[in-house]
Amino acid sequence: MAPRTEQELLSYGVMDPVMVDALARFPVRDPHPSDPYYGDDSHSAARAHRAATLREKHHLRSVPGPIPDQVSEEERMIPMRDGAEIPVRIYRPVQKPAESSPLVVMYHEGGWSMGDASDEETNCRLFSRDLGAVCVNVEYRVAPEYPFPAWIDDSWDALKWAAQNAASLGADPARGFIVGGGSAGGNITAVLAHIARDEKLSPTLTGQYLCVPAIMCFKPPTLISPSYRAEYLSHPDVTTNIDPVLKIRTGAEFAEHMHGVLKASWVDPRLVPLLYGAHENGHRGLPPAYFQICGIDPLRDEGLIYERVLREESDVKTRLDLYKGFGHYFWTNWPQLDKSREFVQDTVKGVKWLLEQTP
């Protein structure tokens, strides 16, 4: 498949009329005077505002709360390498599948500095109810309280814990062992797929779910391979960012967040998984990957390039759903839209496809 043309890529970034209407009628709100963090411009205030606005829309999601007659949920604390414990939430189908349950481990979004397990609870409930999976929803520690590489260390420790305890959790990884997440969680997923391959995780991963993933992390176009530069148009230094949720205006703005809040670097593949391509094994030997990518998302071309690299250069099976004219995490910020319901249905279908690739 030839690289996408400039015209094709730019057409993905024209806001869909449905998105235009949703933004006009239900704009992403700024803090109100009644919000306890009003007037506070700190990172903790931004974190609280993000959580508050998502909670306000939670009742509109396809599965707005627990479904105990179909999926059981258990909170647990698991050990990390530094002696600390982090919370995970385990989801199991009440009606056990005839052929045992696959294992799915999920990581939330939030720019490695926000978010919690509630961000992935809808997916986990659906994977358990509709696909019979046992899901482990990981609440890794985030920056700035826990700077890089804390979230990767936590996430890898949690993945190893899930692998080692699969049987006691009620899962059989031989039916499928998938790792997944969105945005920062998609970034973590891409990194973990490489670490699991290199560290020979047993049982082995059989699939990776990459939802609007950060793969280059807004690395400046001049610092990525010329082979991909012509396809890297969604970077905010190249094309003005109109995404109403992920409002990064320049690569320098992300660099400030990366250095100041995350204490991370563009030269480390544990932040920029595309860099694994320069290592001995490159991206070869990774499990099949399912991508969901949005047209006006400034991360769009990071995901599109990576999908092509996996498929064409690394012989990795891929499946891609592209939502032209829609933005980063539109399905949680405007869950009432038909397109949002379609996105959630596609997620389940895509993860089902990953399970069907299990050897």
Side-chain angles (χ1 to χ4, degrees):
M1 176 182 171
R4 293 174 176 87
T5 66
E6 177 180 358
Q7 181 179 9
E8 184 178 6
L9 289 167
L10 292 177
S11 73
Y12 300 160
V14 177
M15 192 178 288
D16 188 282
V18 171
M19 187 83 193
V20 173
D21 179 68
L23 192 55
R25 293 196 294 137
F26 310 104
V28 178
R29 76 166 179 87
D30 293 327
H32 293 157
S34 59
D35 292 322
Y37 47 80
Y38 183 74
D40 184 347
D41 61 358
S42 68
H43 182 77
S44 60
R47 182 188 285 168
H49 182 61
R50 174 191 178 277
T53 55
L54 287 175
R55 274 197 307 272
E56 290 166 1
K57 304 164 187 174
H58 214 97
H59 67 286
L60 297 171
R61 292 187 182 187
S62 57
V63 182
I67 42 175
D69 57 328
Q70 297 172 305
V71 176
S72 69
E73 302 185 16
E74 175 193 355
E75 304 281 349
R76 197 180 290 192
M77 302 296 291
I78 64 172
M80 297 290 102
R81 67 186 68 187
D82 63 357
E85 293 184 321
I86 65 168
V88 298
R89 190 177 301 159
I90 301 158
Y91 305 74
R92 300 179 181 91
V94 171
Q95 184 68 41
K96 306 297 186 219
E99 298 181 328
S100 72
S101 291
L103 179 61
V104 179
V105 182
M106 294 295 292
Y107 299 91
H108 65 79
E109 67 271 19
W112 310 274
S113 62
M114 301 182 186
D116 55 36
S118 68
D119 295 321
E120 285 297 337
E121 63 187 11
T122 296
N123 280 338
C124 289
R125 287 167 182 152
L126 290 172
F127 298 158
S128 189
R129 184 191 73 183
D130 298 348
L131 303 178
V134 171
C135 296
V136 179
N137 187 358
V138 179
E139 194 162 304
Y140 56 88
R141 289 173 288 181
V142 297
E145 295 88 348
Y146 300 95
F148 181 82
W151 59 83
I152 283 296
D153 290 345
D154 283 2
S155 297
W156 173 235
D157 290 352
L159 186 61
K160 289 189 293 182
W161 178 88
Q164 293 161 2
N165 291 277
S168 66
L169 294 173
D172 179 5
R175 303 297 304 171
F177 185 7
I178 292 170
V179 61
S183 195
N187 168 276
I188 290 168
T189 295
V191 172
L192 291 180
H194 290 87
I195 296 175
R197 176 200 64 186
D198 296 343
E199 297 293 327
K200 297 179 172 52
L201 178 69
S202 180
T204 58
L205 294 176
T206 64
Q208 51 180 320
Y209 166 44
L210 300 165
C211 176
V212 294
I215 300 297
M216 287 83 133
C217 298
F218 299 110
K219 193 169 185 175
T222 54
L223 297 182
I224 72 163
S225 168
S227 305
Y228 312 127
R229 222 169 277 166
E231 301 169 71
Y232 197 28
L233 302 184
S234 66
H235 190 288
D237 289 349
V238 179
T239 302
T240 300
N241 179 21
I242 62 170
D243 193 294
V245 173
L246 188 55
K247 299 178 181 180
I248 296 289
R249 291 164 294 188
T250 64
E253 181 181 332
F254 180 80
E256 183 178 346
H257 174 70
M258 178 176 66
H259 295 303
V261 175
L262 305 180
K263 307 300 184 189
S265 166
W266 274 320
V267 301
D268 196 317
R270 293 172 299 171
L271 180 73
V272 182
L274 189 72
L275 294 176
Y276 281 106
H279 290 201
E280 181 181 358
N281 295 318
H283 305 295
R284 296 180 299 278
L286 298 180
Y290 170 53
F291 288 80
Q292 286 179 295
I293 294 174
C294 296
I296 64 172
D297 188 340
L299 292 173
R300 180 194 69 212
D301 295 343
E302 302 194 12
L304 291 177
I305 290 168
Y306 190 52
E307 187 275 335
R308 193 165 73 82
V309 166
L310 292 185
R311 175 170 42 83
E312 296 186 357
E313 300 178 13
S314 311
D315 198 29
V316 174
K317 287 184 181 179
T318 66
R319 172 171 170 152
L320 168 66
D321 283 325
L322 176 63
Y323 304 86
K324 302 176 184 179
F326 285 84
H328 192 79
Y329 268 87
F330 74 90
W331 61 99
T332 58
N333 286 277
W334 294 275
Q336 71 275 23
L337 299 179
D338 289 342
K339 197 69 173 181
S340 296
R341 287 186 278 271
E342 177 186 322
F343 187 100
V344 173
Q345 291 166 2
D346 287 346
T347 301
V348 177
K349 292 174 185 175
V351 172
K352 182 175 185 289
W353 175 83
L354 287 175
L355 291 173
E356 291 167 351
Q357 310 313 304
T358 302

